[in-house]
Amino acid sequence: MGKAGRFVCVALPMILTLLSLAFLIILGLGGTNANNSYLSNIYFLEANTTAVYRNATLKSTLTGLPANNYTDPLDKTADGKIILENFYYIGMWGYCAGSGANTTNSILAFGQTSAQAVDFCTARQLHFWFDPRNVWGFSGSVFDAMFSNDLTNVINYYEQTASKWLSTLYILAVVATGVEIIVGIGGLFSRLGSIFTTIASVVSSAFLFAFAILATVTFAGLGVAFNVSFKNYGIEFYLGRTMFIYLWLAVVLSLVSGIFWAFSSCCCSGRSREGAYNKMGTQAERTPYTYERVDGPAVNYQTQPMNNVGGRPTAYEPFRHGN
């Protein structure tokens, strides 16, 4: 195949691995910068609070609440100033929120038809988890009694288990993919290098696939639980389409690159056929079915003169006897 063929064979999985890492990095940067509308609009879960019921509707809709025995957590002050933003984007390391106005100066992420202007994003936090009861001021009020034990259990799972494993698996996936790229440079020169890169690819794909499964199950479950619990408030939750498209594209690219790395470890040699033929030398030019003398320790022929046998100056003939 030659060096050029070897390079082409390895270049494809290398490109796929680089693309997978790029999508992973974008996932990690999503929801971290209010000044970048592209990154701030990449999130796992959206809370849409534009249709939140005001006091009169709450009193008439919710049953079992005293008419004048609670403080509305949706108000900052008695003048009725709303404490909630119109939307909340929940990401890996924090959340962003804004008024809901569309921004005209932005680069749209894949799958987006418009981008909303973000007012602020929280500081990055390892093992971040979003508790809407605390963020919106529901916790510690009479509204606490309205939240089911199921919601509490879901939030506890999100805080104590899912958030920690999501951060850990994401970091491991990024590091393992980076190691795969570094080891893959050795695959340009030999099939042995491709073998080591294939092993690294299996490890990185395993971490990435586990992260994708956990993220999908966790935020899909949170969306269902939050929608059930907050439907009386008019708050709706949606999965972030762009985030999950990028996530599963990264998984597919990683898996496909692993297949091509394995192929390059067994089927793409850096040696050319012409060089292999030249190495055979004259052996490839000999006439078939011909005898050639073989000299060696096991075979030691000594040439004997065939004349003057039996006193005759002729060749020896065993069945011919003189008179």
Side-chain angles (χ1 to χ4, degrees), residues 36-301:
N36 188 315
S37 59
Y38 176 81
L39 295 176
S40 61
N41 279 264
I42 297 176
Y43 49 85
F44 283 117
L45 196 65
E46 174 190 0
N48 188 323
T49 59
T50 56
V52 171
Y53 298 138
R54 302 307 302 139
N55 292 1
T57 308
L58 280 173
K59 292 176 183 178
S60 62
T61 303
L62 305 178
T63 58
L65 293 177
N68 56 2
N69 193 27
Y70 69 93
T71 301
D72 187 352
L74 305 182
D75 289 342
K76 283 184 175 180
T77 61
D79 61 5
K81 184 178 180 181
I82 298 176
I83 193 173
L84 291 182
E85 299 283 352
N86 284 341
F87 65 86
Y88 291 78
Y89 293 157
I90 304 166
M92 173 77 69
W93 317 111
Y95 71 87
C96 299
S99 60
N102 288 342
T103 177
T104 58
N105 185 20
S106 66
I107 301 175
L108 297 179
F110 182 79
Q112 289 182 336
T113 57
S114 63
Q116 299 188 88
V118 172
D119 295 336
F120 70 91
C121 291
T122 59
R124 297 179 181 88
Q125 179 184 345
L126 187 65
H127 308 320
F128 167 78
W129 61 285
F130 183 86
D131 187 347
R133 299 173 304 179
N134 293 332
V135 173
W136 297 332
F138 292 124
S139 182
S141 68
V142 69
F143 290 94
D144 260 348
M146 299 180 56
F147 299 124
S148 65
N149 291 331
D150 292 337
L151 176 63
T152 301
N153 293 334
V154 169
I155 292 178
N156 289 339
Y157 161 76
Y158 179 28
E159 173 192 4
Q160 299 171 8
T161 305
S163 63
K164 294 179 175 59
W165 275 107
L166 283 171
S167 301
T168 301
L169 288 172
Y170 174 81
I171 293 172
L172 289 174
V174 171
V175 172
T177 304
V179 171
E180 177 185 349
I181 293 172
I182 295 174
V183 177
I185 297 175
L188 292 170
F189 306 101
S190 68
R191 285 184 289 184
L192 181 61
S194 291
I195 293 175
F196 288 118
T197 309
T198 302
I199 297 173
S201 179
V202 170
V203 174
S204 65
S205 296
F207 285 138
L208 179 52
F209 185 73
F211 169 72
I213 290 292
L214 181 60
T216 302
V217 172
T218 297
F219 288 101
L222 285 173
V224 172
F226 288 165
N227 276 322
V228 171
S229 298
F230 291 98
K231 63 181 179 180
N232 289 330
Y233 296 95
I235 301 175
E236 299 177 330
F237 290 81
Y238 306 96
L239 290 177
R241 180 172 57 180
T242 301
M243 176 72 87
F244 285 99
I245 289 175
Y246 285 178
L247 174 58
W248 284 103
L249 275 177
V251 173
V252 171
L253 290 170
S254 180
L255 293 175
V256 174
S257 69
I259 295 174
F260 280 105
W261 281 124
F263 177 80
S264 67
S265 66
C266 65
C267 302
C268 295
S269 173
R271 294 178 298 179
S272 64
R273 293 180 179 273
E274 182 179 355
Y277 289 145
N278 291 338
K279 187 176 179 180
M280 295 175 62
T282 57
Q283 293 181 1
E285 301 176 358
R286 291 173 180 166
T287 305
Y289 310 112
T290 58
Y291 168 77
E292 294 186 11
R293 176 177 174 178
V294 179
D295 292 327
V299 181
N300 186 13
Y301 296 101

